[in-house]
C-alpha cells in the first residue's frame, strides 16, 4: 500500500511561522515547531524538503534526531518516514544559515513535508529573518 493510505492521523502544529529576528550573515538561528498527533492512529511524516540550500530541518521523535534534511534530500534520509505514536509529539527544528547563500534584508524560507492527515496532506512552515 502507498504510504499515504497507511491509516489516517491528525496533526496539530503549535505554529506555522517563526520570526528569527535580525541576524548577521555569519549567524545561525533555529526555530522549533511542535507537531502533535491528536488521533488514535500513528502519524506519519515524510518528504521533508527546504526551499533553499541555506535552510535545514531536523525531526526529533522520542528523543531521536534524524539529522539534517535540506533542499535536496539524499543519502540515508531519502526514504525516511517518521512515525509519531497516537497522542505523541515530534519536534521540527528549522535551521537557517545565511552564510551558505549570502543575502541581505528580509528573507522568508520554507520547509514542507507530507503527512497521513487527510486535512493536511502537505504542510508548509515558514521562518522569517532580517539579514544585516
Amino acid at each position: 500500500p502507498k504510504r499515504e493510505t497507511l491509516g489516517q492521523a491528525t496533526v496539530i502544529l503549535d505554529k506555522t511561522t517563526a520570526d528569527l529576528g535580525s541576524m548577521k550573515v555569519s549567524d545561525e538561528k533555529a526555530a522549533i515547531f511542535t507537531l502533535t498527533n491528536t488521533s488514535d492512529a500513528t502519524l506519519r511524516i515524510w518528504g521533508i524538503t527546504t526551499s533553499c540550500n541555506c535552510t535545514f530541518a531536523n525531526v526529533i521523535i522520542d528523543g531521536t534526531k534524524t539529522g539534517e534534511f535540506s533542499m535536496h534530500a539524499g543519502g540515508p534520509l531519502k526514504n525516511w518516514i517518521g512515525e509519531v505514536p497516537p497522542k505523541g509529539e515530534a519536534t521540527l527544528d528549522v535551521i537557517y544559515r545565511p552564510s551558505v547563500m549570502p543575502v541581505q534584508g528580509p528573507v522568508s524560507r520554507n520547509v514542507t513535508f507530507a503527512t497521513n492527515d487527510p486535512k493536511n496532506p502537505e504542510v508548509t512552515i515558514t521562518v522569517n529573518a532580517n539579514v544585516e
Side-chain angles (χ1 to χ4, degrees):
K2 287 187 172 174
R3 297 188 274 202
E4 298 82 10
T5 57
L6 287 171
Q8 293 187 343
T10 307
V11 63
I12 303 288
L13 280 82
D14 64 335
K15 58 185 176 290
T16 55
T17 307
D19 191 347
L20 300 175
S22 292
M23 57 193 294
K24 296 182 176 72
V25 170
S26 57
D27 288 347
E28 169 178 314
K29 285 197 177 182
I32 297 173
F33 298 81
T34 302
L35 289 64
T36 304
N37 178 5
T38 58
S39 70
D40 295 321
T42 298
L43 171 67
R44 291 179 174 82
I45 54 178
W46 69 91
I48 299 170
T49 58
T50 67
S51 63
C52 179
N53 285 323
C54 57
T55 308
F56 303 86
N58 271 311
V59 180
I60 301 153
I61 301 173
D62 287 334
T64 303
K65 189 182 267 201
T66 56
E68 293 185 350
F69 290 90
S70 60
M71 191 172 181
H72 305 289
L77 296 176
K78 186 171 167 54
N79 296 311
W80 181 85
I81 302 175
E83 297 197 339
V84 183
K87 312 300 185 214
E89 282 185 354
T91 305
L92 182 67
D93 287 353
V94 178
I95 304 129
Y96 176 50
R97 297 186 183 117
S99 61
V100 177
M101 296 189 70
V103 292
Q104 280 195 313
V107 292
S108 184
R109 299 289 182 257
N110 296 326
V111 175
T112 56
F113 57 91
T115 80
N116 62 331
D117 176 348
K119 293 191 179 74
N120 292 289
E122 186 172 274
V123 177
T124 300
I125 57 175
T126 305
V127 292
N128 297 307
N130 190 51
V131 183
E132 297 172 343

